[in-house]
Amino acid sequence: MSEAGGGPGCGFPVPQRAPWSLVAATAALCLVSATSVWTAGAAPMSREEKQKLGNQVLEMFDHAYGNYMEHAYPADELMPLTCRGRVRGQEPSRGDVDDALGKFSLTLIDSLDTLVVLNKTKEFEDAVRKVLRDVNLDNDVVVSVFETNIRVLGGLLGGHSLAIMLKEKGEYMQWYNDELLQMAKQLGYKLLPAFNTTSGLPYPRINLKFGIRKPEARTGTETDTCTACAGTLILEFAALSRFTGATIFEEYARKALDFLWEKRQRSSNLVGVTINIHTGDWVRKDSGVGAGIDSYYEYLLKAYVLLGDDSFLERFNTHYDAIMRYISQPPLLLDVHIHKPMLNARTWMDALLAFFPGLQVLKGDIRPAIETHEMLYQVIKKHNFLPEAFTTDFRVHWAQHPLRPEFAESTYFLYKATGDPYYLEVGKTLIENLNKYARVPCGFAAMKDVRTGSHEDRMDSFFLAEMFKYLYLLFADKEDIIFDIEDYIFTTEAHLLPLWLSTTNQSMSKKNTTSEYTELDDSNFDWTCPNTQILFPNDPLYAQSIREPLKNVVDKSCPRGIIRVREESFRSGAKPPLRARDFMATNPEHLEILKKMGAASSIDAEDGLRFMQEMIELSSQQQKEQQLPPRAVQIVSHPFFGRVVLTAGPAQFGLDLSKHKETRGFVASSKPYNGCSELTNPEAVMGKIALIQRGQCMFAEKARNIQNAGAIGGIVIDDNEGSSSDTAPLFQMAGDGKDTDDIKIPMLFLFSKEGSIILDAIREYEEVEVLLSDKAKDRAAILKGKMIPSYIINSNPEMENEEQPSSENDSQNQSAEQMTSISQEIDLIDQESLEETSLNSHPESLSPADTDNAASVSPSEQNSNPAENHETTSLDGECTDLDNQLQEQSETEEDSSPNVSWGKKVQPIDSILADWNEDIEAFEMMEKDEL
């Protein structure tokens, strides 16, 4: 619900304590009015094409869900590359990401209400029976309170909500007697001990069996939690209270929200990312709308919708005003410091902020929603998926993509608000990219690197809970859904809670007593729904006119406001602030400016802090070597057909795959395997890509030996058994200190686990063909002219007739069995190296004992292709390349000398800057932050 009213049009006043039925009815009138504006002038997608795309979504869900049930259940999640289940403790730890796994069949519970939305009621009934029969919530395992709440508790409540709906309809679930609700209540009580803190903020983790603090619990010593972790509980906990009549759940969730509100930074009305659960002190004082904070804002607005408590709306409006004042720099959303909000905290954005346009739609603020969504879409069109983080000049900062659904969510809400068929085309692109780049025989695999197209052996439960739900609803008409979706509200995990809960057991909940609100411009916060004549002028091309300036923003623009400067700084007669890149220690004028920083005014103080941030980045950059992006080894022979992509380290010599055509050929092992002397089997490697083991000589020497034997390329496989790109920094092979211009073939490096994929394939199939390239190639291009099953190269698998699904499934199952037989002894590449909302440090670099010379680059520190020439707006209006400034840390091994590692050393500029030590440390910490 929005409050942007006034003027003619919709703008119907909504009584502040009206029952939700009235609020929902008013909103529906607004939505109809908004949609009619668009359909009057836009060319809509045909009903047939929408049905066709909806059927594709159904087939994709069947592929993902069916493979989970066949290969993984009752495990928590499916590992789609190795076609097996991920069981906590049986796979290498991925850190905080594994805290979502509690040995409670996570994917099945998370998918319950998706089955009903997709009109799979029989499958839903069967799934509910499996949950009741097989799921145990009393496991001795430490889980995330946040993830367990939104995925498991939310999944059980969403399943219960739709189970009672189906039972009332009289056809399905007639046997159901609130069993899922009883499981939810049991889980709720298991989570309550986490709230045993003086602040009321929950511990971030809890043991399902032993709770908190007991020796056998192995948790309860944490001091910090993220704002979203503590502030994303109210919907599920309040729904549990109102379903069951047990008030304690809603009370605990309200207390946590109250505490976060009281601890907001009063001058900016922003909250930080991480807070001490005992003292309430902010641990990380940067603020944004992405990782660590995102769903806190979402739940304030949705708590008002679901619970009818005005104070939640007032709090949301206060925060939203601050967000639009400080964080929103259209089309960007950049983190700032909570007590210096005009100063940007970083020069990159994370993928989780993609939910925010959808929240703005619910707020009724459509224009910035359109702008940010369009910017994100341009990034997706460039990389096929939204990278986990990207810079303000739209280069890859963190290259992973775990199939997140937030962009699809915003696309759905924008289409529902505008009716603009453009967003149907956006959804179609998402479907095509998923099928083309993420689909594998056993499901859909997360992307390890969007630049190379390499995969991770990971399919998170939220992919089934959210992605397919939003995509199906995007293309569905009202008659395609067996219930009225408008009667429900989506949680942050897209679980459905009925709006009639707003009037159920209402007397048990206390209204929040909110104090010390900042004085706001109430003209935008009236108690009305959006006025469509304000949001949507009588111009069917209104949204297009907003999107049009952003069409080329990723490829060739200098985005506005990337480094923010107060307008006062450019007041008449004032000089632009001193930039770190221009500073000269021998310039007396520059030294005088430094002395004034922080002393003359608040503006000078902010200039000084900004100068320090730039100086840190420049100082760090001076200690780095040039880094190359990762490369790809793509297995193109049977039965892989290009669907397995391995992340490979580049070489600083030989053929540059980013500038030349890819190299394709069959692989053969060299003899001797280390490649350190003249090959004894030149006939075996002639015209092929030679496999060589790392060690005993320089990389360049290996390359010369296989080149002399007639090899067309080389793959060096690490001799450190068990090494993997999942846990080790990307490896760059350096030269031998001599002229390497004589090396003309491409050379790539694979860690042990990735290399084992190829070696096992050779043992299984003998003939193995690979493609060496800068990034994974389109399967259709790879397989052109070959007799290949159509589903492999078709980016849009469809159900053209009744026979195709059968043959397709047979082919997929056959391929799955073949791939499984190859990979049973290995963990097939690509496990999570990026935590979703944790603050883990980067993985430690390897310290190889051999004399191979290389440069190690952490995956989370990789930059996009240096050949890309994007630009960024600087303070003085120039466009400057910030790619190097955004690189984090590199480590290099030089020939036979000991390893040399460079950290983030910052040279002091002057003793007068000593007062800024705290801010300098904060900047350094933010440089190392993980999502």
Side-chain angles (χ1 to χ4, degrees):
M1 286 296 93
S2 169
E3 307 70 50
C10 194
F12 306 111
V14 177
Q16 295 189 16
R17 287 169 179 79
W20 174 250
S21 58
L22 176 58
V23 179
T26 308
L29 288 173
C30 292
L31 186 58
V32 170
S33 300
T35 306
S36 63
V37 173
W38 290 108
T39 56
M45 181 179 287
S46 69
R47 167 70 173 162
E48 291 72 20
E49 186 172 2
K50 288 175 64 177
Q51 285 183 330
K52 185 178 177 182
L53 291 167
N55 288 335
Q56 274 191 251
V57 175
L58 293 175
E59 186 277 333
M60 293 165 66
F61 174 83
D62 289 341
H63 180 64
Y65 180 76
N67 274 287
Y68 164 74
M69 296 303 296
E70 179 180 352
H71 298 292
Y73 182 79
D76 283 316
E77 290 180 343
L78 170 69
M79 300 172 67
L81 298 181
T82 47
C83 302
R84 68 177 190 266
R86 183 180 296 281
V87 179
R88 187 92 172 262
Q90 295 183 14
E91 304 293 335
S93 173
R94 302 176 299 168
D96 288 357
V97 172
D98 283 340
D99 287 344
L101 311 180
K103 298 182 179 179
F104 35 37
S105 301
L106 176 63
T107 298
L108 181 62
I109 292 177
D110 222 1
S111 305
L112 287 177
D113 52 6
T114 303
L115 289 166
V116 182
V117 172
L118 273 55
N119 200 13
K120 296 179 179 293
T121 48
K122 291 182 179 178
E123 291 89 340
F124 171 73
E125 190 157 5
D126 181 60
V128 172
R129 292 185 186 276
K130 283 186 169 64
V131 170
L132 300 180
R133 182 190 67 202
D134 300 336
V135 172
N136 178 21
L137 298 175
D138 196 41
N139 300 311
D140 179 13
V141 59
V142 176
V143 297
S144 162
V145 173
F146 166 75
E147 296 290 354
T148 304
N149 172 66
I150 65 171
R151 298 202 207 188
V152 185
L153 184 59
L156 292 171
L157 292 172
H160 170 70
S161 300
L162 297 189
I164 59 177
M165 178 274 298
L166 290 173
K167 184 177 182 179
E168 289 176 358
K169 285 180 176 291
E171 185 176 355
Y172 296 99
M173 304 299 294
Q174 295 306 300
W175 55 269
Y176 182 71
N177 193 29
D178 295 350
E179 288 88 350
L180 291 177
L181 180 59
Q182 295 309 312
M183 289 185 68
K185 188 175 181 181
Q186 177 192 359
L187 180 60
Y189 278 118
K190 285 184 172 295
L191 296 178
L192 284 184
F195 293 82
N196 188 20
T197 61
T198 55
S199 65
L201 299 179
Y203 283 95
R205 299 174 184 86
I206 194 168
N207 187 298
L208 288 175
K209 188 177 185 67
F210 297 108
I212 294 285
R213 291 183 178 174
K214 297 178 183 178
E216 57 268 37
R218 305 184 303 282
T219 189
T221 60
E222 302 93 343
T223 59
D224 306 335
T225 193
C226 71
T227 300
C229 299
T232 312
L233 299 159
I234 186 64
L235 292 188
E236 293 83 0
F237 272 50
L240 182 58
S241 286
R242 300 195 176 200
F243 270 130
T244 64
T247 63
I248 188 171
F249 303 109
E250 184 172 342
E251 291 169 358
Y252 273 55
R254 282 177 178 267
K255 183 179 179 183
L257 274 181
D258 290 347
F259 190 83
L260 289 173
W261 170 254
E262 290 301 320
K263 290 300 178 179
R264 74 193 186 284
Q265 213 289 324
R266 298 306 175 95
S267 61
S268 67
N269 282 315
L270 295 173
V271 292
V273 173
T274 312
I275 191 170
N276 186 296
I277 60 177
H278 303 296
T279 66
D281 295 332
W282 290 110
V283 179
R284 277 185 52 190
K285 301 174 183 178
D286 47 318
S287 184
V289 296
I293 303 180
D294 48 2
S295 49
Y296 163 70
Y297 295 131
E298 177 186 3
Y299 270 37
L300 284 177
L301 181 56
K302 290 183 176 179
Y304 161 68
V305 174
L306 183 65
L307 306 179
D309 188 334
D310 303 343
S311 64
F312 288 130
L313 180 61
E314 293 167 357
R315 293 180 189 185
F316 173 80
N317 283 337
T318 301
H319 284 314
Y320 188 78
D321 179 74
I323 290 168
M324 300 309 291
R325 187 187 305 270
Y326 303 120
I327 295 171
S328 176
Q329 302 174 45
L332 310 181
L333 292 162
L334 293 178
D335 288 14
V336 300
H337 298 276
I338 58 176
H339 36 289
K340 294 176 182 175
M342 296 303 293
L343 184 65
N344 290 333
R346 57 170 60 102
T347 52
W348 49 267
M349 294 164 282
D350 66 69
L352 287 170
L353 62 76
F355 91 101
F356 198 67
L359 188 64
Q360 289 179 307
V361 170
L362 296 182
K363 167 73 175 69
D365 200 359
I366 302 296
R367 184 183 187 94
I370 293 173
E371 291 175 331
T372 299
H373 180 275
E374 182 62 25
M375 177 270 293
L376 295 171
Y377 184 43
Q378 296 302 319
V379 175
I380 289 173
K381 289 204 290 187
K382 180 180 179 64
H383 299 293
N384 300 321
F385 299 99
L386 196 61
E388 278 292 75
F390 54 95
T391 65
T392 52
D393 56 347
F394 308 111
R395 303 188 187 192
V396 174
H397 186 63
W398 292 331
Q400 300 91 334
H401 174 74
L403 307 182
R404 293 198 184 279
E406 285 77 14
F407 181 78
E409 173 186 358
S410 289
T411 303
Y412 165 69
F413 282 115
L414 272 169
Y415 176 67
K416 286 300 179 182
T418 66
D420 189 343
Y422 175 83
Y423 296 108
L424 297 177
E425 297 297 331
V426 173
K428 181 178 179 180
T429 299
L430 298 182
I431 291 173
E432 291 174 349
N433 288 350
L434 285 171
N435 278 317
K436 195 171 186 178
Y437 302 109
R439 187 175 180 128
V440 294
C442 284
F444 291 84
M447 308 305 296
K448 183 177 181 62
D449 193 312
V450 298
R451 296 165 297 187
T452 64
S454 57
H455 292 135
E456 258 186 292
D457 202 2
R458 170 184 182 185
M459 189 178 79
D460 290 84
S461 69
F462 55 67
F463 182 59
L464 284 85
E466 301 183 67
M467 180 69 82
F468 295 115
K469 194 175 292 173
Y470 287 124
L471 286 178
Y472 182 76
L473 289 172
L474 176 65
F475 297 105
D477 290 329
K478 191 169 184 179
E479 57 268 25
D480 297 327
I481 308 170
I482 62 175
F483 64 99
D484 190 350
I485 198 74
E486 304 297 338
D487 290 339
Y488 297 81
I489 190 170
F490 290 102
T491 69
T492 195
E493 190 78 0
H495 293 307
L496 296 171
L497 299 176
L499 293 172
W500 52 257
L501 288 175
S502 62
T503 57
T504 302
N505 293 319
Q506 196 172 20
S507 59
M508 71 181 183
S509 61
K510 297 179 180 178
K511 293 290 183 181
N512 292 326
T513 53
T514 306
S515 59
E516 299 187 45
Y517 286 100
T518 301
E519 197 68 32
L520 297 176
D521 178 6
D522 270 351
S523 62
N524 285 328
F525 302 134
D526 294 335
W527 296 91
T528 65
C529 74
N531 182 327
T532 57
Q533 290 197 8
I534 294 176
L535 294 176
F536 314 112
N538 292 321
D539 178 4
L541 300 180
Y542 173 67
Q544 180 180 338
S545 68
I546 297 174
R547 293 191 298 262
E548 195 61 36
L550 303 172
K551 288 295 184 184
N552 299 316
V553 68
V554 170
D555 291 325
K556 57 184 179 183
S557 72
C558 299
R560 295 186 293 112
I562 285 175
I563 301 178
R564 186 199 300 253
V565 181
R566 282 185 180 273
E567 294 179 3
E568 298 96 305
S569 298
F570 296 105
R571 56 192 180 277
S572 178
K575 294 182 178 180
L578 178 64
R579 302 295 305 279
R581 70 178 184 216
D582 301 325
F583 173 73
M584 297 180 62
T586 57
N587 187 322
E589 183 180 357
H590 289 182
L591 294 176
E592 187 64 27
I593 293 175
L594 282 183
K595 292 178 182 179
K596 292 180 179 179
M597 286 181 179
S601 67
S602 60
I603 294 176
D604 291 329
E606 290 191 5
D607 289 343
L609 196 55
R610 184 180 300 108
F611 178 85
M612 285 305 303
Q613 181 182 17
E614 294 175 2
M615 188 59 72
I616 289 168
E617 293 173 344
L618 289 176
S619 178
S620 176
Q621 172 56 31
Q622 290 171 357
Q623 301 168 39
K624 299 170 184 161
E625 287 194 348
Q626 182 179 5
Q627 300 172 359
L628 298 174
R631 305 295 189 223
V633 176
Q634 193 168 7
I635 307 179
V636 298
S637 54
H638 173 83
F640 304 95
F641 301 121
R643 291 172 297 177
V644 173
V645 184
L646 309 175
T647 298
Q652 297 174 356
F653 55 87
L655 183 72
D656 186 349
L657 291 170
S658 67
K659 299 178 181 178
H660 298 83
K661 187 178 180 181
E662 67 274 3
T663 297
R664 179 171 179 165
F666 289 91
V667 296
S669 296
S670 62
K671 294 182 180 180
Y673 191 30
N674 59 34
C676 290
S677 60
E678 182 179 350
L679 267 59
T680 60
N681 63 335
E683 69 287 346
V685 301
M686 174 74 71
K688 296 183 179 180
I689 296 172
L691 302 179
I692 329 161
Q693 188 178 48
R694 179 183 180 184
Q696 301 183 29
C697 65
M698 300 293 182
F699 289 123
E701 184 177 350
K702 298 175 188 289
R704 292 188 179 98
N705 287 331
I706 64 171
Q707 180 175 272
N708 292 337
I712 60 173
I715 298 175
V716 178
I717 298 177
D718 193 12
D719 61 344
N720 182 13
E721 186 176 355
S723 65
S724 169
S725 62
D726 301 331
T727 55
L730 184 69
F731 206 76
Q732 288 187 169
M733 299 183 291
D736 55 5
K738 304 174 185 178
D739 186 359
T740 56
D741 289 345
D742 60 312
I743 301 176
K744 305 297 184 183
I745 62 174
M747 295 290 294
L748 296 182
F749 178 89
L750 290 178
F751 283 107
S752 173
K753 282 193 174 182
E754 284 80 359
S756 295
I757 305 303
I758 295 179
L759 296 176
D760 287 350
I762 292 175
R763 284 191 287 270
E764 185 81 14
Y765 302 105
E766 296 184 1
E767 295 284 320
V768 175
E769 188 179 16
V770 302
L771 190 71
L772 311 184
S773 60
D774 60 335
K775 65 184 298 184
K777 301 304 178 184
D778 185 282
R779 294 171 196 162
I782 292 174
L783 303 172
K784 186 175 182 181
K786 295 181 179 289
M787 296 296 294
I788 303 297
S790 61
Y791 77 90
I792 293 176
I793 61 174
N794 189 355
S795 64
N796 296 301
E798 295 167 15
M799 321 245 313
E800 297 291 349
N801 53 58
E802 295 180 0
E803 297 179 0
Q804 180 177 343
S806 176
S807 61
E808 178 176 336
N809 290 335
D810 292 342
S811 300
Q812 292 173 354
N813 292 335
Q814 181 182 2
S815 297
E817 292 171 2
Q818 292 167 333
M819 292 184 65
T820 305
S821 64
I822 300 174
S823 313
Q824 288 177 346
E825 297 181 359
I826 59 173
D827 180 17
L828 180 61
I829 63 173
D830 309 334
Q831 295 173 354
E832 179 62 37
S833 60
L834 177 64
E835 315 306 342
E836 291 181 27
T837 55
S838 68
L839 304 175
N840 289 348
S841 60
H842 293 304
E844 296 180 359
S845 301
L846 295 178
S847 298
D850 61 30
T851 57
D852 292 331
N853 41 323
S856 297
V857 185
S858 170
S860 60
E861 296 162 357
Q862 299 161 5
N863 287 299
S864 59
N865 193 326
E868 297 173 1
N869 188 26
H870 305 310
E871 295 178 299
T872 301
T873 301
S874 58
L875 287 174
D876 54 12
E878 299 175 353
C879 283
T880 179
D881 188 344
L882 293 184
D883 187 45
N884 291 332
Q885 296 181 23
L886 295 166
Q887 296 177 359
E888 303 257 338
Q889 175 179 335
S890 65
E891 299 180 2
T892 303
E893 300 168 327
E894 295 288 351
D895 292 343
S896 301
S897 61
N899 296 341
V900 180
S901 176
W902 286 273
K904 298 188 183 303
K905 301 174 183 175
V906 181
Q907 302 298 325
I909 299 177
D910 196 292
S911 59
I912 63 171
L913 304 176
D915 294 338
W916 290 333
N917 283 338
E918 180 182 349
D919 294 303
I920 294 174
E921 292 172 1
F923 281 126
E924 288 180 318
M925 180 180 71
M926 280 177 228
E927 267 196 308
K928 298 177 182 178
D929 281 344
E930 292 286 359
L931 275 176

